[in-house]
């Protein structure tokens, strides 16, 4: 009886408890499936407990009969008393790679085949019970040209085997042109798909974002061009497998740019709501943004980097240095609608982490129920005219103007543009950097790479807002037209495969964004001017351009409004390490012996 513990099936507080002795190699363990956890505890010869490993059932990837290997290729050794458990395995506590997940695998040996079959059955049953939101079928878009052009290799070698192991089917589309993924989502039948996944960078994600939002509004009969209207939230989830030059959205919502980590988040059905900023020019939608809408420095950097795409990701560092040396600032007026300061502040030193209370509590505020039980009340929408409040206006010369709906963290800036920004609270952070001397501005830029407060400078101000407007001083509209035409046209001519910018008279949901070069003639019809004219030209430009998630906008005078929790990603936000290592089911009594499936 010592070597064969009874297989216990008992109902405890409406949960199934399964317990028996199992072996890993030659070592005996007490395995327990209870509630939301599956754990195994090492036992010594005197039956005393040693180290315990505990895995949430929701993070089990699959259970297979026999001894199964997945990588480098699937290999199954059919043994009648063994089963293999696959699960999420985190990097060790204190690891420099925080948020990194890998596929954990443990082979268990049972005393009999009947016991093995019971374990496999009970684990699979618990998996279905505790993970009802897992996807069953995915539509995958691969950008074969993004980043280092390794999208197809990353998917087929790292991601596809994991989806197969989890029993998830997929339909793969390798894109051949810009906006192919967006058009596919808008026009094709998506019946049966639980989500869409992009294998690429932020540009590829943007295509899926515009496609999913556009399709949802079409089906709901809503206009995307109404800047004051409420948009229908999207049910179709979006997954990101990072494989681009920039993967800012993935980093800010997962905490690491790693294809396996992102694939595991998709498999277990994590769901992270995300705010989306709609950018309008007059009465037309221009573009959606989730990370950065930037004018001045960040717009200039993007415009310059587009002329050096042959440099790969290094073009951003080069462009940043050159634009900094130009030392430009721009005149303008910023109007903004403040968010409720009692809810949160961009300087409250908090971080939006997985399970963020600010984002969770914002759902009821953003989507109050109406009498018709719709999530969207006609009288109490998140953009009710009566509750908007007064607009604040700020004029002057600015080095940069940035609006971000997330921290916009990345490997080079771990805390991001606004460290306390939230992913799903229905607000954005407006950062105004006024004209200052080059050394002071360099101090501001350098603080993005450290833990120092980049807002604690006299020429920097930050506001938590719901909407923003930007306008130019009178007399600079002609300069605006010339500058935006030049940058967009050169981008179209040099890179015809890149997305263009939308024509304001046509729906972003129905048509590829039409470039001004096709509307107003070719650059041969007017005088061209080099962009970097701060150091080498007698007349510097009077206006900058807008950088919207890595794409240049064709207009300078724009309005932006944040739509709370408009889309959902297969992610859970950046995990709090302290909270994760407190997930032990019996953490009060573990005395440091329990580990949560870490490397």
């Amino acid at each position: 009886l010592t070597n064969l513990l009874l297989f216990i099936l008992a109902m405890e507080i409406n949960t199934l408890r399964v317990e028996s002795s199992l072996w890993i190699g030659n070592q005996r363990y007490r395995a327990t499936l209870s509630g939301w956890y599956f754990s195994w505890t090492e036992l010594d010869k005197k039956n005393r407990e040693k180290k315990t490993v505990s895995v949430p059932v929701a993070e089990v990837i699959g259970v297979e009969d026999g001894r199964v290997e997945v990588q480098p290729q699937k290999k199954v050794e059919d043994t009648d008393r063994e089963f293999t458990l696959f699960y999420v395995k985190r990097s060790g506590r204190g690891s420099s790679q925080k948020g990194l997940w890998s596929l954990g695998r443990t082979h268990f040996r049972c005393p009999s085949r009947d016991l093995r079959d019971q374990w496999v059955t009970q684990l699979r049953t618990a998996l279905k019970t505790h993970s009802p939101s897992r996807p069953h079928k995915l539509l995958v878009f691969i950008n074969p040209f993004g980043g280092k052009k390794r999208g197809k290799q990353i998917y087929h070698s790292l991601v596809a085997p994991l989806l197969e192991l989890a029993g998830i089917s997929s339909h793969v589309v390798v894109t051949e042109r810009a906006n192919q993924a967006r058009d596919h989502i808008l026009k094709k039948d998506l019946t049966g798909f639980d989500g869409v996944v992009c294998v690429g960078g932020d540009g590829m994600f943007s295509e899926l974002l515009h496609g999913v939002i556009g399709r949802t509004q079409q089906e709901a009969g809503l206009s995307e061009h109404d800047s004051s209207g409420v948009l229908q939230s999207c049910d179709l989830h979006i997954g990101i497998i990072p494989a681009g030059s920039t993967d800012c959205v993935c980093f800010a919502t997962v905490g690491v740019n790693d294809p396996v980590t992102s694939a595991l988040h998709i498999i277990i059905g994590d769901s992270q709501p995300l705010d989306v900023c709609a950018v309008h020019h007059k009465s037309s939608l221009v573009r959606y943004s989730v990370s950065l809408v930037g004018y001045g420095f960040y717009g200039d950097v993007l415009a310059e980097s587009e002329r050096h795409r042959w440099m790969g990701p290094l073009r951003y560092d080069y462009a940043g240095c050159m634009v900094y040396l130009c030392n430009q600032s721009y005149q303008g007026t910023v109007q903004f609608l403040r968010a409720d300061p009692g809810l949160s502040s961009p300087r409250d030193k908090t971080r939006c982490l997985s399970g963020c209370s600010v984002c969770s509590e914002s759902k009821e505020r953003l989507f109050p129920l109406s009498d018709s039980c719709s999530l969207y009340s006609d009288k109490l929408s998140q953009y009710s005219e009566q509750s908007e409040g007064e607009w604040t206006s700020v004029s002057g010369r600015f080095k940069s103007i940035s609006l971000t709906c997330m921290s916009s963290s990345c490997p080079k800036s771990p805390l991001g543009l606004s460290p306390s920004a939230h992913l799903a609270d229905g607000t954005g952070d407006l950062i105004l950097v006024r004209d200052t001397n080059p050394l002071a501005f360099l101090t501001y830029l350098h603080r993005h790479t450290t833990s120092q407060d980049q807002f604690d400078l006299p020429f920097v101000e930050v506001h938590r807002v719901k909407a923003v407007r930007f306008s130019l001083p009178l007399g600079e509209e002609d300069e605006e037209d010339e500058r935006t035409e030049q940058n967009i046209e050169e981008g179209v001519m040099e890179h015809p495969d890149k997305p263009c910018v939308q024509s304001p008279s046509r729906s972003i949901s129905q048509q590829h964004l039409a470039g001004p070069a096709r509307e107003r003639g070719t650059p041969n019809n007017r005088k061209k001017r080099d962009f970097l004219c701060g150091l080498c030209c007698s007349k510097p430009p009077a206006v900058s351009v807008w950088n919207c998630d890595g794409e240049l906008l064709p207009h300078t005078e724009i309005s932006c409004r944040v739509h709370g929790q408009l889309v959902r990603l297969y992610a859970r936000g950046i995990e709090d390490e302290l909270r994760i290592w407190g997930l032990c089911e019996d953490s009060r009594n573990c005395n440091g012996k329990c580990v949560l499936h870490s490397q």
Side-chain angles (χ1 to χ4, degrees):
L1 293 177
T2 303
N3 295 329
L4 264 178
L5 288 175
L6 294 176
F7 192 83
I8 303 171
L9 294 176
M11 298 302 296
E12 295 181 354
I13 317 178
N14 297 323
T15 62
L16 182 67
R17 180 179 179 86
V18 182
E19 182 177 312
S20 79
S21 282
L22 298 178
W23 278 258
I24 302 175
N26 295 322
Q27 181 63 49
R28 186 166 65 92
Y29 287 77
R30 178 186 295 116
T32 304
L33 174 61
S34 177
W36 297 85
Y37 288 85
F38 174 61
S39 58
W40 54 97
T41 303
E42 183 180 351
L43 303 175
D44 62 16
K45 295 181 179 180
K46 295 184 179 181
N47 212 38
R48 291 176 298 191
E49 295 184 355
K50 299 175 72 175
K51 187 175 70 172
T52 295
V53 177
S54 184
V55 177
V57 174
E59 295 183 4
V60 172
I61 303 303
V63 184
E64 298 288 332
D65 294 330
R67 297 179 65 87
V68 181
E69 305 283 348
V70 176
Q71 294 174 337
Q73 60 183 9
K74 188 170 184 179
K75 179 182 178 182
V76 180
E77 183 181 342
D78 190 9
T79 56
D80 60 3
R81 293 191 301 169
E82 292 183 309
F83 69 91
T84 304
L85 181 77
F86 295 94
Y87 51 92
V88 171
K89 190 173 184 179
R90 288 172 172 81
S91 57
R93 192 184 316 200
S95 170
S96 59
Q97 289 282 358
K98 296 180 180 179
L100 187 67
W101 288 6
S102 62
L103 181 66
R105 182 193 69 244
T106 302
H107 303 299
F108 292 97
R109 179 165 50 87
C110 304
S112 68
R113 178 166 187 165
D114 288 342
L115 188 60
R116 190 278 304 268
D117 292 342
Q118 290 184 65
W119 267 113
V120 171
T121 299
Q122 294 300 330
L123 283 168
R124 288 175 176 172
T125 300
L127 191 57
K128 292 180 180 179
T129 301
H130 295 311
S131 304
S133 61
R134 292 195 176 194
H136 301 286
K137 187 177 182 181
L138 297 171
L139 177 59
V140 180
F141 295 96
I142 301 177
N143 178 6
F145 309 109
K148 298 181 179 179
K149 301 182 179 181
R150 297 179 59 240
K152 290 194 289 186
Q153 178 187 349
I154 288 173
Y155 177 77
H156 291 295
S157 63
L158 299 178
V159 179
L162 297 178
L163 297 181
E164 180 183 358
L165 176 65
I168 299 175
S169 62
S170 61
H171 176 71
V172 178
V173 177
V174 179
T175 60
E176 300 175 349
R177 61 174 176 84
N179 286 314
Q180 180 179 346
R182 189 203 64 189
D183 295 342
H184 188 111
I185 295 172
L186 286 172
K187 299 175 183 178
K188 299 294 184 179
D189 183 12
L190 302 183
T191 303
F193 289 106
D194 301 301
V196 292
V197 176
C198 65
V199 183
D202 290 334
M204 192 66 174
F205 166 77
S206 182
E207 285 195 34
L208 269 63
L209 177 75
H210 284 80
V212 169
I213 296 177
R215 184 184 182 100
T216 302
Q217 308 322 307
Q218 287 179 6
E219 294 175 346
L222 299 175
S223 172
E224 298 176 84
H225 299 293
D226 183 359
S227 61
S228 62
V230 178
L231 299 179
Q232 176 72 44
S233 60
C234 307
D235 294 327
L236 198 65
H237 280 60
I238 302 175
I240 309 173
I241 303 297
S245 298
T246 59
D247 299 293
C248 173
V249 179
C250 181
F251 193 93
T253 56
V254 176
V256 65
N257 287 333
D258 176 65
V260 171
T261 300
S262 294
L264 293 174
H265 279 287
I266 294 170
I267 288 170
I268 66 178
D270 274 341
S271 182
Q272 172 63 53
L274 194 64
D275 296 337
V276 177
C277 176
V279 182
H280 288 80
H281 173 67
K282 298 181 179 178
S283 60
S284 295
L285 175 71
V286 181
R287 202 167 188 91
Y288 293 113
S289 167
V290 297
S291 58
L292 171 69
V293 183
Y295 183 80
F297 179 79
Y298 294 109
D300 293 352
V301 169
L302 177 62
E304 177 63 17
S305 69
E306 287 299 282
R307 294 164 171 78
H308 303 279
R309 293 186 65 86
W310 56 271
M311 297 177 65
L314 287 176
R315 67 185 184 271
Y316 298 111
D317 295 330
Y318 169 80
C321 291
M322 297 301 293
V323 171
Y324 168 77
L325 293 175
C326 288
N327 191 33
Q328 292 297 316
S329 61
Y330 302 95
Q331 191 78 26
T333 298
V334 182
Q335 295 176 297
F336 55 92
L337 186 63
R338 296 180 185 272
D340 186 347
L343 300 176
S344 63
S345 165
R347 301 199 63 182
D348 57 16
K349 304 297 183 181
T350 61
R351 295 293 308 280
C352 182
L353 301 174
S354 180
C356 173
S357 59
V358 172
C359 296
S360 299
E361 295 169 1
S362 296
K363 183 174 182 180
E364 183 177 351
R365 173 176 54 85
L366 294 172
F367 306 125
L369 294 176
S370 65
D371 295 337
S372 60
C373 296
S374 167
L375 282 177
Y376 301 93
S377 168
D378 293 333
K379 297 180 180 179
L380 293 173
S381 74
Q382 50 183 309
Y383 304 127
S384 173
E385 292 293 336
Q386 289 83 0
S387 62
E388 270 199 339
E390 295 184 0
W391 288 77
T392 301
S393 180
V394 178
S395 298
R397 295 194 68 86
F398 302 95
K399 284 284 190 180
S400 73
I401 300 169
S402 305
L403 175 64
T404 179
C405 293
M406 57 174 62
S407 67
S408 295
S409 58
C410 66
K412 291 186 177 181
S413 178
L415 297 181
L417 288 176
S418 186
S420 295
H422 288 273
L423 294 173
D425 67 342
T427 70
D429 285 354
L430 174 65
I431 306 166
L432 303 177
V433 181
R434 294 183 179 272
D435 191 17
T436 186
N437 65 77
L439 183 58
F441 186 58
L442 182 62
T443 300
Y444 167 74
L445 295 177
H446 180 259
R447 288 192 178 186
H448 288 80
T449 65
T450 69
S451 59
Q452 288 183 283
D453 184 1
Q454 61 260 48
F455 303 140
D456 189 22
L457 294 167
F459 55 91
V460 180
E461 56 184 278
V462 59
H463 308 276
R464 185 143 291 171
V465 301
K466 296 184 290 185
V468 175
R469 300 169 183 158
F470 178 78
S471 58
L472 294 169
L474 293 177
E476 294 189 359
E477 290 82 356
D478 293 338
E479 178 77 17
E480 170 196 4
D481 291 340
E482 181 180 351
R483 177 68 177 277
T484 54
E485 282 183 30
Q486 177 181 348
N487 284 288
I488 300 300
E489 286 177 1
E490 291 181 1
V492 171
M493 292 184 63
E494 296 176 15
H495 311 288
D497 58 327
K498 278 183 58 61
C500 302
V501 186
Q502 181 185 7
S503 168
S505 62
R506 309 174 81 165
S507 171
I508 194 171
S509 302
Q510 309 227 343
Q511 163 156 352
H512 178 50
L513 304 181
R518 299 172 185 175
E519 298 176 8
R520 306 175 187 171
T522 66
N524 295 328
N525 293 335
R526 68 173 183 282
K527 182 179 178 181
K528 290 182 62 175
R529 182 181 65 202
D530 288 337
F531 174 71
L532 290 176
C533 50
L535 294 176
C536 54
C537 291
S538 58
K539 181 184 178 182
V543 299
S544 179
V545 289
W546 284 98
N547 174 350
C548 181
D549 287 1
E551 297 293 338
L552 295 173
L553 297 186
H555 309 289
T556 305
E557 294 191 325
I558 62 172
S559 62
C560 306
R561 189 175 288 271
V562 180
H563 294 266
Q565 304 188 12
L566 186 59
V567 297
R568 285 186 172 270
L569 305 186
Y570 284 121
R572 63 172 57 177
I574 298 175
E575 290 185 319
D576 184 348
E577 189 177 20
L578 295 178
R579 179 183 298 178
I580 287 301
W581 294 106
L583 280 178
C584 172
E585 188 178 20
D586 192 22
S587 57
R588 291 174 296 178
N589 302 316
C590 72
N591 297 320
K593 297 180 181 179
C594 182
V595 297
L596 186 71
H597 47 285
S598 67
Q599 295 177 352

